[in-house]
Amino acid sequence: MLDLAKRDLNSISLHKIGARAGVLLGMLLLIAPLSLEALPPTLSAISDDFQALQYNPAALTQKRAAGVAAAINYGTQFPDSLSADLFLNGDNVAYQLHLGSPVRQRLGVGLPLGDFFAVGAALELEELNFSALDIAGSLLVRPWRYISLGTQVTLESLRNPEIEFSLGLRPFTERVTIGVGSRYANGQVALPTIVAQIEPVDGIRIDGGFDIQDSSWHIALSVAFSNIRTGSEVRVDNGSSFAGGGLWSHIATRNFPSIIDNPPGRFIEYSVGEIVDQRNFAPTSLLAGFDPRQELVEVLQEIEGICNDPWVRGVVFRKENIITNLANFEELRQAFSRCKSQQKPIIFYHTTYGNVNYAFAAAIADHIFLHPTGAVGLRGLASIRPYLKELLDNIGVEVTAYRSHPTKSFGSIYTASEMGEGERQQIARLFSDYYQLIEEMIDQRKSQLTVETRVAIDDGPYLRAERAREVGLVDGLLYEDEFDAFLKENYDYSVLRSFRRAPTIPRQWPDASERQVALIYASGAIVNGQSIRGRQIGDDSIIAAIERASNDGAMAAILLRINSGGGAALASESIARALSEAAQRKPVIVWMGSVAASGGYYIAAPANVIIASPVSLSGSIGVVALAPTIVGLSDTLGIEWDGVRGSPSADFAHPGRAATAVEQERLQALINRLYQRFVEQVAEYRNAEEVQIDAVAQGLIWSGRAAQQRGLVDTLGGYPEVLEELQRQVGSQHLRLVPFEHSEWGLLRDIGYLVTSYFEPELPPELEALLRGEIEALFITPWYPPLLK
């Protein structure tokens, strides 16, 4: 076991925290009995906490009120004046029960009509007396970060309208809010009420106000710990005498900025599982639970929250092999590097490490531990595939490949007996770039390794745990209980399993400078027709999404995330044209995933900026079609093909006969023309000469790094670089990605997909590798349907 000094994870001691909390709670209890109403009076423009239902139901949409709250009210005639309120609040719906004399119930709803505008409504019923029903309607407008406008119109017993209107300002800082408001009732406008909210430090808030109309004033103090805020208020009448007091508490679904500025944090066990660009079912689908995978963007955002969360002191990966592609591992590495920059330890423990999973662990871990009988599957990269030409010859099946160039090698497993030299060179060049990234990852453990990094990679797999420790790949061999003991001894370890910490309630009001970006996914094979979420790119579906985003004035830019090895040529060109037209109206950014090649590159080319991972597989600008015939098999089996042909080529490309020389010439001419069109379009979109594009096209594949050097890609990077480019393009630091989807899929089709997915025929190894994101069975060239259509 390593001899590590125990770390002081808290810069503020527990007794100091307790002392601060005790003083504040004591102050609250002293002033609690002095108020007539526990809830401090406030205004419609600034009431967005648990009182929103009372003062402005539209403010429920700000998502600060959600949770459970209770208030106890003391009057001067105690105990007769004792009453209580209970709030049950959601993000948009709330219920209040007032237990007093009389008993009242209030139900309200808030509806966002835009990012900075919301409406609300409420019903209040007294003692189940419907003749005394009150109704209210409200508005909330926050056009800038420092201004809020609110109003509420109330009809008491369905008559006697009363209108409250107010203005909220934050002229200096988000910690100081000033509000002024008035009300109209009985034909008169009351003198204004002035309210202030001050949060001098996180977790402590002072509320105060003065009602000019009746010369009364109030002051309140509240304190917040994590997701609990509790407080009390003093109210003074116009005779400068105490009128009463009260106490309230709010348990929120989100976390408040807390008084504990350096909380006693926890290590968390983080489980990622399988990561994809898109799940098969949308989050709103009733079948979403049938796809437990996680989407890359949400994982990256969650990691950012973990790294920035003061409660998180470190991260533990326990027996966790992540399933995703190398490009996504690089995204995860960059995301977790921000945790390391904040001195948050990351510790791995496993029984068996996978190939790239080990490189990922080496890149970010402070310590890597292995079970004493475990293994490290580090072994480098390979592309080994079966070549089936002789098998097909033996059974009488011939596959003819029509290629724009010999280097457009897809389908060679059916037409050759071994890997061609051109394909071999391309894979070797690709592996060189992939190796570079993996070496960079493992180099983070260079001081622990007893051999050179490349030697450590090439000398695997490490099937004996002792050998992995000798080479320095792991820090120690521990059983799981020993691992727990290590954490407890060295890190004062406590853990929340399956940790998903609630987000912190933002202090700031919505930012009108926030710009929305349409996020469109292009994942899977490109086909004509409809998309299948996460698996198939239908030109009809994605073009509709592009056009909708292009015409939506609220969308400042379009971000197209591509993970596709290509597909139907005509569908690819149609999508590229739609994206080109969209780029004339607003910035279009392409974010390449693991593969954006052939048709996947075609649809990327029109973008204003293309950003790729260093290990994105790109290029493959070329065209191929495969035409199988079973003439020999038919002869062997005694099958005769016969029928009626209206013209000599009516059965063109029929598998029962070989193509004529003229037909072969025509098909090859079509392939050549499609390739020329491909090159012409890429040259136009990339503002380059055709000869320049042709030199790097010809079916050649490139890593993202090589593609960037050859002008096919503009920038290397991942999610942070994508956000930086979007910020630059739209001129704002405040962005929100809005997923744009267009699919004809409903619940019945979702169910149909779920059922048929269990009975799909086995795909070729190249396709399986692409869909699973496996680097060991590398998908080198893009997939097209068996016949070009």
Side-chain angles (χ1 to χ4, degrees), residues 478-497:
L478 302 176
Y479 290 100
E480 194 162 0
D481 62 315
E482 293 177 323
F483 176 63
D484 289 332
F486 165 82
L487 293 174
K488 190 169 295 184
E489 177 183 345
N490 293 281
Y491 291 99
D492 191 22
Y493 171 83
S494 61
V495 66
L496 290 178
R497 295 185 182 274

Side-chain angles (χ1 to χ4, degrees), residues 490-545:
N490 293 281
Y491 291 99
D492 191 22
Y493 171 83
S494 61
V495 66
L496 290 178
R497 295 185 182 274
S498 301
F499 178 86
R500 293 294 183 270
R501 179 170 160 80
T504 299
I505 297 174
R507 184 180 291 109
Q508 68 272 15
W509 288 338
D511 186 358
S513 66
E514 180 182 67
R515 307 298 298 278
Q516 297 184 73
V517 175
L519 173 59
I520 301 175
Y521 287 100
S523 300
I526 301 173
V527 300
N528 297 299
Q530 294 296 320
S531 294
I532 298 177
R533 197 177 197 272
R535 293 190 54 131
Q536 176 175 293
I537 307 166
D539 58 349
D540 290 346
S541 298
I542 196 168
I543 288 172

